[in-house]
Amino acid sequence: MKTPAWAALKAHRSAMQNLRMADEFARDGQRAQRFSIEAAGVFLDYSKNLITPETMRLLLALASECGVANRRDAMMAGERINLSENRAVLHMALRNPAASARKYVLDGVDVGAEVQRVLAHMREFTQQVREGIWRGGTGREITDIVNIGIGGSDLGPQMVCEALRTFAHPRLTVHFVSNVDGAALERTLAKLSADTTLFIVASKTFTTQETLTNARSARDWFVASGGRATDVAKHFVAVSTNAVEVEKFGIDTANMFEFWDWVGGRYSLWSAIGLSIALAIGMDGFEALLAGAHAMDEHFATAPLDANMPVLLALVGVWNVNFCAANSQCVAPYAQDLHRLAAYLQQLEMESNGKSVDRGGNALSTASCPVIWGEPGTNGQHAFFQLLHQGTSVIPVDFIAATYGNGALPEHHRLLLANCIAQSEALMVGKSEAEVHVELRAKGLNAAEIYALTPHKFFAGNRPSNTMLLDSLTPQSLGALIALYEQKVFVQGVIWGVNSFDQWGVELGKQLAKTIDAELKSGTVSGAHDGSTKALMQRVMS
Ligand code: F6P
């Protein structure tokens, strides 16, 4: 990275190596307010990072030098910014209301009409299923929906359905089958009855091995469970860009919900890939999800960079990774219903920015996407927070919470919030040796015991985190939160110089799996494999 801003940031980091956040808060009574921002129903406090106003000034200079605003505008203008696949990136169009003055145009055509057509098809279909008008082959109402898909055709819909479970239709249960491991499909089908089950085969390409294998087995199960072949159409629908493959599989294209190649898999939950969401929470709920994302999009599209939440979140992340040497990022939602958020963000972030060459194919000279991981709080406190507080790696944490719970158990919610806020405070302030001494002395330990125990009870602190607060977890607030992360990923991709919208890294494993599977099936191991692979194949074949 040769830009002047990058060099200035490196010099700045060296000069402020000894910065302690606690001192900065003591010195600047307005720090929390200075480094907080609210937009589209999301409140972001990024003040517990190793930053000063100068840091943010230099980071914003970097964003300008990297042309963040221009690249954003190019994406929104339908330019084919996904260079290696020669595709536009227009998932923002999926949540752009029909009445919006903003238009998303591809090759001179406003894609809004197509988007609205599919939304209308989704509305009609989901209403029929939810109101019991769409019935199975034996005339019974649908009670269970099985989404068969993987990656972006699974993680987003599943995360949203889990997050919005309190908004779900009382009669409908949505299940998600993704892994080709038969256990996934078997454990799901064991609970279901063929005549009340609707399968959604969700696959952008409709060539994904796991999805087609599961779909074929599901169809076999349906027929073996008494379903008539002529009734497959009432129990199987498809979501894809590939009508030819859908028809070849045997699903009537009248039961296909299409989307387009300008929607990346990990950006597709807003498209018909979100059909399971719309079935669960209703089309009004789904459109509220879209509206939340649209509100964040408009903020991203119009706010100046220094007052732009996705830009600020992205820049703080770049600061942590590229100047504070963080190589992983923890996501800790203090909301059990967000328990699939980290898994969803793993694909969104790591499949988008887990690259080592830039858009021009040149090797990166700086780090790019960190490892994204996490679990809901408070559980993480009893699993990996030990490392976050006292480990040798400093790992930034994104805390996410809703100010208001769903009202069921208010005392539980108060405790949840207290823990969330306490953890970010503890990571930042730590506990000094002097404080440990006072504590141990008050417990009556002698000098030798205090001397021995102090290093183990010392907390260095000064460990960074962001805290994001939603008023409550609703379709609208969730939509805004997800769009925030999508746009953050976009901005980081621009700064790292990578193409955030292709995923060539998934191809080699798929190719080798096809070869190995064929050999396992035939019982002959070719000599072309290395010794380990050969031995493993022979072992599993014996
Ligand atoms: O992981 C590779 C990938 O292509 C993802 O980008 C995508 O979301 C997933 O596989 C599933 O692809 P499809 O929706 O085409 O089945």
Side-chain angles (χ1 to χ4, degrees), residues 33-338:
Q33 291 71 21
R34 186 186 316 282
F35 296 139
S36 291
I37 180 173
E38 194 146 12
V42 180
F43 173 77
L44 166 66
D45 173 0
Y46 59 98
S47 62
K48 293 193 180 92
N49 280 288
L50 292 159
I51 56 173
T52 66
E54 176 65 1
T55 317
M56 294 315 295
R57 191 185 68 75
L58 291 172
L59 285 167
L60 285 159
L62 176 66
S64 299
E65 277 183 11
C66 294
V68 163
N70 294 338
R71 300 275 316 158
R72 172 199 63 196
D73 297 345
M75 170 171 67
M76 296 177 69
E79 288 184 29
R80 293 170 185 273
I81 64 169
N82 176 355
L83 289 177
S84 70
E85 294 180 306
N86 188 31
R87 289 176 178 169
V89 173
L90 283 173
H91 48 277
M92 292 168 77
L94 298 171
R95 59 242 193 171
N96 189 40
S100 171
R102 185 182 300 283
K103 299 302 174 195
Y104 289 93
V105 175
L106 177 61
D107 300 336
V109 177
D110 175 356
V111 300
E114 283 281 84
V115 169
Q116 294 305 320
R117 177 176 59 76
V118 172
L119 285 173
H121 186 194
M122 289 172 70
R123 176 173 284 277
E124 179 193 14
F125 175 72
T126 53
Q127 270 171 346
Q128 286 181 350
V129 172
R130 290 165 56 88
E131 292 167 11
I133 299 164
W134 179 291
R135 291 181 177 244
T138 61
R140 292 180 63 189
E141 290 180 332
I142 298 299
T143 58
D144 291 274
I145 291 144
V146 180
N147 185 86
I148 297 178
I150 197 165
S153 298
D154 164 73
L155 288 165
Q158 182 177 169
M159 180 271 293
V160 172
C161 284
E162 289 294 297
L164 301 177
R165 65 177 179 82
T166 56
F167 295 82
H169 190 290
R171 186 186 80 244
L172 296 178
T173 304
V174 186
H175 312 266
F176 290 87
V177 173
S178 48
N179 200 330
V180 77
D181 177 346
L185 185 63
E186 278 173 356
R187 70 172 62 205
T188 298
L189 297 181
K191 299 180 279 191
L192 305 182
S193 165
D195 57 359
T196 58
T197 299
L198 172 72
F199 292 94
I200 302 173
V201 184
S203 176
K204 178 175 180 179
T205 58
F206 227 79
T207 59
T208 303
Q209 177 188 65
E210 297 95 329
T211 300
L212 295 184
T213 304
N214 276 320
R216 280 191 290 270
S217 297
R219 185 176 52 195
D220 294 347
W221 170 84
F222 174 75
V223 175
S225 307
R228 292 172 300 186
T230 51
D231 289 333
V232 166
K234 295 192 174 85
H235 293 270
F236 283 78
V237 299
V239 180
S240 186
T241 61
N242 190 339
V244 170
E245 288 301 324
V246 167
E247 196 134 34
K248 208 186 290 180
F249 177 83
I251 291 177
D252 185 337
T253 47
N255 287 347
M256 175 181 144
F257 298 82
E258 72 174 307
F259 63 114
W260 308 274
D261 72 5
W262 40 263
V263 180
R266 52 195 173 273
Y267 297 88
S268 64
L269 71 86
W270 323 96
S271 73
I273 286 289
L275 188 62
S276 52
I277 303 169
L279 284 164
I281 68 173
M283 204 57 194
D284 290 347
F286 186 72
E287 295 196 345
L289 182 80
L290 298 181
H294 176 65
M296 185 57 76
D297 288 345
E298 286 304 302
H299 166 72
F300 176 54
T302 57
L305 297 193
D306 64 356
N308 193 307
M309 189 183 286
V311 171
L312 295 169
L313 188 61
L315 289 173
V316 163
V318 164
W319 176 248
N320 285 327
V321 166
N322 297 103
F323 300 94
C324 301
N327 53 28
S328 93
Q329 164 79 47
C330 177
V331 178
Y334 272 66
Q336 187 56 32
D337 286 348
L338 287 175

Side-chain angles (χ1 to χ4, degrees), residues 373-491:
W373 61 282
E375 283 291 332
T378 58
N379 297 53
Q381 296 168 206
H382 304 273
F384 50 77
F385 269 72
Q386 164 60 43
L387 182 146
L388 294 179
H389 285 289
Q390 293 186 323
T392 51
S393 301
V394 176
I395 299 175
V397 183
D398 278 359
F399 291 100
I400 299 163
T403 304
Y404 305 101
N406 61 18
L409 295 164
E411 188 193 355
H412 290 237
H413 196 70
R414 192 195 67 244
L415 279 170
L416 183 70
L417 293 176
N419 276 279
C420 177
I421 296 169
Q423 287 300 323
S424 72
E425 181 182 35
L427 285 168
M428 193 264 288
V429 298
K431 183 182 285 186
S432 69
E433 289 187 349
E435 287 166 325
V436 173
H437 289 169
V438 168
E439 197 177 275
L440 296 181
R441 207 172 293 125
K443 287 181 179 172
L445 273 68
N446 64 40
E449 288 166 333
I450 290 173
Y451 178 78
L453 203 48
T454 296
H456 303 285
K457 294 177 76 76
F458 166 72
F459 286 72
N462 219 33
R463 297 193 169 200
S465 68
N466 296 311
T467 297
M468 285 162 245
L469 291 179
L470 311 175
D471 283 345
S472 53
L473 189 52
T474 64
Q476 180 128 356
S477 65
L478 181 61
L481 179 72
I482 299 167
L484 167 62
Y485 272 98
E486 284 184 345
Q487 305 299 14
K488 178 203 90 163
V489 165
F490 172 81
V491 173

